[in-house]
């Protein structure tokens, strides 16, 4: 069987114009996907380096200054270049218009522009490593006063973050208009896929929260360059205000990271247990509720910063409230699985991994959300464990699930399912080995962002470093399998999973113009009885 | 495929974008109000050092330019592309006037030693220093927006000349006009906050 080339077929223009200046949403999605994966690999190596340094107490590989630069860089790359754009920019661009039955996003040129901003922002961020006073050493949060006085290259790094934020805003704006304006006839709001709903809620957060981050990082830059004094108490400024502004963005940003992954999981689970999703409307509602309530809880990062007790209590309470919609989603997924006719294909395996790891991260989030317990574990490894469970176990697994779900659609070929499952297993063992000891370390009092530690922490640190090797093995196997299958995998037809959403009615890979005739939608996204088995 | 025209979509996109601009300034307005709450007296004193006449003149200039922008849109909608271009030119000219006045205001301040990080003000009361930090940050950011607005308006004028923005499809001019109104509106808030507080 000859695999068709679809939108990936070479055209008559030069490669640069065909790809780098493309306005086809699918190609832009592919560009994002591969750039994000490339940055991810860099970030992973930095993470492994951190773990190697922590293998035993004292100096193993790198000194304290380099260590600070390495974890800052690891954080900046992972947050701003990998997880924030990950699913929306890559898979949203690839599949949102297809799921809507549209030709493209609402503003195709703007879409190309946001990709370029992503590239430029990434390049600026990387420039900050090699120029000026050396790589930033503030941590990805750029907290003042340190970030205002350190001689390392913070100004350039925050400029990169500013540009990346702009890219994220434009993607969100584009998606909102696309979802409002470009749905195929018959595609009522209640027939939208849950992935599209999740992107919709995410897009609003991108549009509403990111500008605050932009202005905050601009303020850091002018504080440094012009000696502005906006956060300097000696000149009437207030460093706590920086933290407020920073988290007003960055807390909602964690929902930019997790909501799209939840959308992917909500789309995958019904397909692999052949049942409509349980509680479609509650899932939609909880996405919107997360987007809304998530903007009200930022100060739970600041319980020990010296806010008033009232503020601490209020933000603690609100944090518990925002946990409810996330829990609702987990119940919905589990109820969908209940008595379904489950097909344990790789996308579902990654989906189940997501549910487990996300729950582990979510529950420990409550420990951090209650002011009393947070006092004890604030800025310890407990926090590091928590957010890795959520963003690596959550967003990361959501991303892997998405890759395994849509891979046959993108390339018209199937990967080796056995290898995919082994990789998932290695990752699950690895991630738990890597991050579970961090919970224990944190409870025992090991502070985060330290390059050295007391001898009694050695065993747990070792365990964590072993875990990082399993994680690495899992990632390596997964990526190897995907790259090999892109060229040698068995060809597949339109709809290998017998899914019911619109993208599966197109050839794999889809043609550049998407739909020959505008589709008319007559049923919801999970009506599997309507699926024609054409493979 | 790319020249599909979605008037409503384009407007919606623009409104969302304006919203992000408001939020961008919103962060600064939050800083302003918190700092004002901490140093009301110093803010009042510091505000005396600003030149109300220049500020008022600039407010009038900017409002007038906004009027021209609106007239440009109407002219194009009524089919008179030439007139629209004249009004755009007037808008840009007034924007230049605004920047010139701003230039004189700022250079004067620098001259008497008031600028971010200046040694002269280092032993002023913190509240007064904070006032000027915020003043330069916010009016500076606003100034950058004025320049961007001028660039956008010139670009739309060019679009009209080459026939890409026409009486039948004028959303580019309309959106540029909206942007200009936003720039004007932000100034209308900045002016009393900095020049007139008591
Ligand atoms: C093999 C994979 C990974 C390893 C071994 C790893 C390891 C680490 C370690 C040891 C730290 C330092 C904590 C500290 O000293 O406080 C850290 C910080 C961090 N990691 Fe990872 N990580 C990995 C993957 C990821 C992923 C996938 C993400 C995001 C998607 C991520 C995001 C972060 C962030 C945001 C920080 C915080 C940096 C800071 O404290 O400023 N990491 N990681
Ligand atoms: Cu938070």
């Amino acid at each position: 069987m000859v695999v068709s080339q679809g939108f990936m077929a070479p055209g008559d223009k030069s490669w640069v114009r065909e790809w780098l200046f493309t306005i086809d949403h699918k190609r832009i999605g592919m560009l994002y996907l591969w750039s994000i994966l490339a940055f991810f690999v860099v970030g992973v190596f930095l993470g492994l380096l951190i773990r190697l340094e922590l293998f035993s107490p004292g100096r193993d590989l790198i000194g304290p200054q380099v260590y600070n630069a390495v974890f800052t860089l690891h954080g900046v790359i992972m947050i701003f270049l990998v997880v924030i754009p990950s699913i929306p920019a890559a898979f949203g661009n690839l599949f949102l218009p297809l799921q809507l039955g549209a030709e493209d996003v609402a503003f195709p040129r703007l879409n190309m522009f946001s990709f370029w901003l992503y590239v430029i922002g990434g390049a600026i961020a990387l420039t900050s490593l090699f120029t000026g006073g050396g790589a930033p050493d503030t941590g990805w949060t750029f907290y003042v006063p340190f970030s205002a006085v350190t001689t390392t290259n913070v100004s350039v790094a925050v400029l990169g973050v500013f540009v990346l934020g702009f890219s994220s805003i434009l993607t969100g704006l584009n998606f909102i208009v696309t979802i409002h304006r470009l749905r195929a006839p018959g595609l009522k709001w209640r027939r939208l896929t849950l992935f599209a709903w999740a992107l919709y809620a995410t897009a609003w957060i991108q549009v509403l929260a990111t500008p605050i981050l932009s202005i905050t990082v601009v303020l850091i830059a002018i504080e440094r360059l012009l000696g502005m004094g906006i956060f300097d108490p000696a000149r009437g400024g207030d460093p706590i205000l920086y933290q407020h502004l920073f988290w007003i963005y960055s807390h909602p940003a964690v929902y930019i990271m997790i909501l799209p992954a939840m959308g992917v999981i909500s789309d995958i689970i019904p397909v692999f247990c052949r049942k409509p999703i349980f509680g479609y409307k509650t899932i939609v509602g909880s996405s919107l509720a997360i987007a809304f309530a998530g903007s009200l809880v930022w100060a739970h990062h600041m319980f020990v910063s010296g806010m008033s007790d009232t503020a601490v209590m209020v933000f603690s309470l609100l944090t518990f409230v925002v946990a409810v919609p996330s829990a609702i989603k987990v119940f919905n997924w589990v109820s969908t699985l209940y008595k379904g006719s489950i097909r344990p294909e790789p996308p579902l395996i990654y989906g189940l991994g997501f549910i487990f790891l996300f729950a582990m991260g979510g529950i420990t989030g409550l420990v951090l959300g209650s002011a009393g317990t947070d006092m004890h574990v604030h800025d310890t490894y407990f926090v590091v464990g928590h957010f890795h469970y959520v963003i690596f176990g959550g967003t990361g697994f959501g991303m892997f699930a998405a890759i395994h779900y849509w891979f046959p659609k993108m390339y018209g070929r199937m990967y080796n399912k056995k290898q995919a499952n082994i990789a998932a297993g290695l990752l699950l063992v690895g991630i738990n080995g890597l991050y579970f000891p961090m919970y224990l370390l944190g409870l025992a009092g090991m502070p985060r962002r330290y390059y050295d530690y007391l001898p009694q922490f050695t065993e747990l640190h070792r365990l964590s470093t072993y875990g990082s090797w399993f994680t690495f093995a899992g990632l390596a196997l997964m990526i190897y399998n995907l790259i090999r299958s892109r060229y040698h995998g068995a060809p597949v037809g339109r709809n290998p999973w017998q899914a019911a959403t619109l993208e599966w009615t197109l050839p794999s890979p889809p043609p550049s113009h998407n739909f020959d005739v505008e589709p008319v939608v007559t049923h919801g996204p999970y009506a599997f009885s309507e699926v024609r088995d054409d493979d | 495929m790319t020249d599909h025209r979605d008037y409503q979509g384009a407007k919606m996109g623009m409104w969302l974008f304006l919203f992000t601009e408001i939020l961008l300034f919103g962060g600064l307005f939050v800083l302003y109000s918190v700092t004002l709450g901490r140093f009301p007296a110093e803010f009042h004193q510091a505000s005396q050092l600003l030149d109300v006449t220049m500020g008022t003149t600039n407010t009038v200039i900017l409002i007038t330019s906004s009027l021209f922008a609106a007239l440009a849109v109407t002219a194009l909608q009524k089919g008179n592309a030439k007139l629209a271009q004249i009004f755009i030119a007037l808008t840009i000219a007034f924007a230049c006037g605004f920047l010139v006045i701003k230039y004189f205001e700022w250079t004067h301040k620098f001259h008497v030693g008031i600028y971010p990080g200046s040694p002269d003000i280092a032993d002023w009361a913190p509240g007064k220093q904070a006032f000027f930090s915020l003043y330069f940050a916010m009016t500076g950011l606003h100034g950058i927006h004025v320049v961007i607005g001028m660039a956008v308006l010139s670009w739309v004028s060019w679009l009209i000349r080459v026939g890409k923005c026409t009486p039948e499809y004028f959303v580019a001019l309309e959106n540029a006009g909206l942007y200009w109104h936003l720039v004007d509106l932000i100034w209308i808030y900045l002016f009393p906050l900095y020049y007139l507080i008591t």
Side-chain angles (χ1 to χ4, degrees), chain B residues 71-107:
Chain B
L71 287 173
V73 179
T74 332
L76 190 62
Q77 282 171 341
K78 292 214 172 120
N80 195 339
K82 270 262 99 46
L83 189 63
Q85 281 179 309
I86 294 176
F87 278 128
I88 294 177
L90 278 171
T91 316
I92 297 175
F94 271 65
C96 280
F98 176 90
L99 289 178
V100 169
I101 294 187
K102 201 82 243 161
Y103 170 79
F104 282 116
E105 246 187 302
W106 275 36
T107 34

Side-chain angles (χ1 to χ4, degrees), chain A residues 178-349:
Chain A
T178 306
I179 294 174
H180 273 272
R181 304 289 308 160
L182 300 184
R183 281 170 289 134
L187 189 54
K188 305 192 191 94
W189 285 94
R190 292 169 60 181
R191 288 181 183 158
L192 274 187
T193 61
L194 287 167
F195 180 57
W197 268 114
L199 288 177
Y200 183 68
T202 310
W204 276 107
I205 311 179
Q206 286 176 299
V207 166
L208 297 183
T210 316
I212 315 270
L213 176 78
S214 310
I215 193 63
T216 313
V217 295
V218 167
L219 288 175
I220 293 265
I222 55 181
E223 183 105 359
R224 291 174 60 83
L225 300 175
L226 307 176
M228 191 66 100
I230 286 190
F231 301 121
D232 178 357
R235 283 179 280 171
D238 185 352
I240 306 286
L241 270 178
Y242 173 83
Q243 296 193 15
H244 278 295
L245 288 177
F246 181 83
W247 286 112
I248 285 175
Y249 165 77
S250 294
H251 186 82
V254 309
Y255 300 110
I256 300 181
M257 304 176 203
I258 198 70
L259 272 171
M262 293 171 154
V264 171
I265 304 303
S266 307
D267 259 18
I268 287 180
I269 286 185
V271 173
F272 295 93
C273 56
R274 315 308 297 164
K275 264 173 69 187
I277 188 102
F278 178 86
Y280 176 88
K281 280 191 216 154
T282 27
I283 295 195
V284 171
S286 60
S287 293
L288 298 174
I290 289 177
F292 172 72
S295 354
L296 305 176
V297 301
W298 72 89
H300 61 207
H301 297 268
M302 306 168 56
F303 287 151
V304 300
S305 72
M307 288 188 313
S308 76
D309 287 354
T310 330
V312 169
M313 298 239 299
V314 169
F315 281 106
S316 191
L317 179 77
L318 286 171
T319 304
F320 273 76
V321 172
V322 76
V324 175
S326 305
I328 290 180
K329 283 190 197 284
V330 176
F331 296 139
N332 279 319
W333 295 325
V334 176
S335 318
T336 310
L337 288 162
Y338 181 67
K339 287 194 176 161
S341 94
I342 292 176
R343 296 185 306 182
E345 304 273 9
L348 185 69
I349 303 293

Side-chain angles (χ1 to χ4, degrees), chain A residues 24-233:
Chain A
D24 178 354
H25 67 100
K26 299 181 289 303
R27 290 191 168 196
I28 293 178
M30 294 300 263
L31 288 173
Y32 269 118
L33 181 62
W34 289 106
S35 339
I36 289 167
L37 285 177
F39 280 119
F40 179 71
V41 170
V42 177
V44 165
F45 277 108
L46 291 167
L48 290 170
L49 180 60
I50 303 176
R51 278 317 324 164
L52 282 179
E53 168 55 41
L54 296 173
F55 192 70
S56 42
R59 177 186 169 130
D60 292 337
L61 286 171
I62 49 182
Q65 182 65 32
V66 178
Y67 182 84
N68 289 350
V70 169
F71 80 68
T72 301
L73 197 69
H74 171 75
V76 170
I77 290 184
M78 286 301 193
I79 295 284
F80 296 110
L81 287 157
V82 179
V83 269
I84 289 186
S86 61
I87 296 176
F91 291 102
N93 266 317
L94 271 160
F95 294 110
L96 176 66
L98 300 183
Q99 291 196 332
L100 298 179
E103 266 180 26
D104 207 318
V105 292
F107 308 114
R109 273 171 218 285
L110 195 68
N111 205 14
M112 175 186 76
F113 183 58
S114 10
F115 174 70
W116 274 100
L117 286 178
Y118 173 77
V119 173
I120 295 169
I124 297 177
L126 293 185
T127 316
S128 74
L129 295 181
F130 308 110
T131 54
D137 54 354
T138 56
W140 71 278
T141 49
F142 303 113
Y143 268 13
V144 290
F146 184 63
S147 60
V149 296
T150 172
T151 53
T152 55
N153 217 353
V154 173
S155 311
V156 177
V158 295
L159 178 68
V161 170
F162 177 81
V163 175
L164 290 167
F166 206 47
S167 158
S168 174
I169 292 177
L170 293 181
T171 303
L173 191 154
N174 217 336
F175 284 2
I176 295 179
V177 179
T178 306
I179 294 174
H180 273 272
R181 304 289 308 160
L182 300 184
R183 281 170 289 134
L187 189 54
K188 305 192 191 94
W189 285 94
R190 292 169 60 181
R191 288 181 183 158
L192 274 187
T193 61
L194 287 167
F195 180 57
W197 268 114
L199 288 177
Y200 183 68
T202 310
W204 276 107
I205 311 179
Q206 286 176 299
V207 166
L208 297 183
T210 316
I212 315 270
L213 176 78
S214 310
I215 193 63
T216 313
V217 295
V218 167
L219 288 175
I220 293 265
I222 55 181
E223 183 105 359
R224 291 174 60 83
L225 300 175
L226 307 176
M228 191 66 100
I230 286 190
F231 301 121
D232 178 357

Side-chain angles (χ1 to χ4, degrees), chain A residues 23 180-181 226-228 235, chain B residues 2 6 8 12 117 129 133:
Chain A
I23 54 171
H180 273 272
R181 304 289 308 160
L226 307 176
M228 191 66 100
R235 283 179 280 171
Chain B
T2 44
D6 181 2
Q8 296 214 355
M12 193 172 159
Q129 292 187 51
S133 300

Side-chain angles (χ1 to χ4, degrees), chain B residues 127-140:
Chain B
K128 261 172 101 177
Q129 292 187 51
F131 178 89
F132 278 104
S133 300
L134 287 169
Y135 168 78
F136 284 112
M138 291 176 81
T139 57

